[in-house]
Amino acid sequence: MDFQKLADVAEKWCSCTPFELIAAEETERRMDFYADPGVSFYVLCPDNGCGDSFHVWSESEDCLPFLQLAQDYISSCGKKTLHEVLEKVFKSFRPLLGLPDAEDDTFEEYNADVEEEEPEADHPQMGVTLLRKSMTEEKCSLYFLCTF
């Protein structure tokens, strides 16, 4: 893939993560990424038509051990896209970024409003109040995943 197209994919990915694309060197086919608090890595992109795969690395001793998951993924069978590689790197760095593991993400619990209703005349409930759950837009939380 053309390097500029890869850089566009990286920019789009950054818009959905805490990372910034801080450098993109076409001659080296290298993209550098950074996120607070000091999480950095770079990706070397394969040449067009070349059978090589992506390569991820960090010059930070603190970050390097977290890249093992992404490196294992890249070296596994099958061709990977830049987006897939970046997603795996993001997953690897979640603990350093102070984010929960992807498997541990919990959505807000649904807290329904409880409203009292009068019993229907056809079926008197002998003093029992009927409760109805109502969900309002304010009580719903949606989580969006950025996809490409």
Side-chain angles (χ1 to χ4, degrees):
M1 181 183 277
D2 177 52
F3 186 78
Q4 185 55 51
K5 289 180 183 174
L6 291 171
D8 292 344
V9 168
E11 283 286 347
K12 199 171 197 181
W13 176 79
C14 287
S15 71
C16 298
T17 69
F19 286 97
E20 292 179 50
L21 178 62
I22 58 171
E25 283 291 326
E26 187 169 4
T27 55
E28 295 179 27
R29 299 190 62 83
R30 175 178 164 153
M31 290 184 239
D32 291 63
F33 299 87
Y34 178 84
D36 284 327
V39 179
S40 63
F41 71 98
Y42 65 86
V43 177
L44 296 177
C45 302
D47 287 328
N48 288 336
C50 186
D52 293 340
S53 60
F54 291 95
H55 178 77
V56 294
W57 196 255
S58 178
E59 294 172 359
S60 167
E61 292 293 325
D62 294 332
C63 297
L64 201 51
F66 289 89
L67 283 176
Q68 187 63 48
L69 177 68
Q71 291 169 334
D72 290 347
Y73 174 74
I74 292 168
S75 64
S76 67
C77 294
K79 219 172 190 184
K80 311 297 187 287
T81 66
L82 177 60
H83 184 258
E84 291 169 336
V85 169
L86 292 172
E87 281 298 305
K88 199 56 81 171
V89 169
F90 182 45
K91 182 177 181 180
S92 300
F93 280 139
R94 288 179 76 86
L96 277 180
L97 296 168
L99 300 171
D101 288 337
E103 289 81 29
D104 295 342
D105 283 347
T106 53
F107 297 108
E108 283 184 28
E109 288 187 41
Y110 166 69
N111 293 317
D113 290 336
V114 178
E115 298 176 1
E116 290 185 21
E117 286 186 0
E118 295 297 322
E120 294 180 19
D122 293 349
H123 305 299
Q125 298 292 322
M126 300 283 281
V128 175
T129 304
L130 295 177
L131 301 177
R132 178 175 60 93
K133 292 182 180 178
S134 68
M135 187 165 72
T136 62
E137 287 183 12
E138 295 81 37
K139 298 289 181 185
C140 293
S141 296
L142 296 176
Y143 292 84
F144 296 97
L145 297 175
C146 193
T147 58
F148 303 98

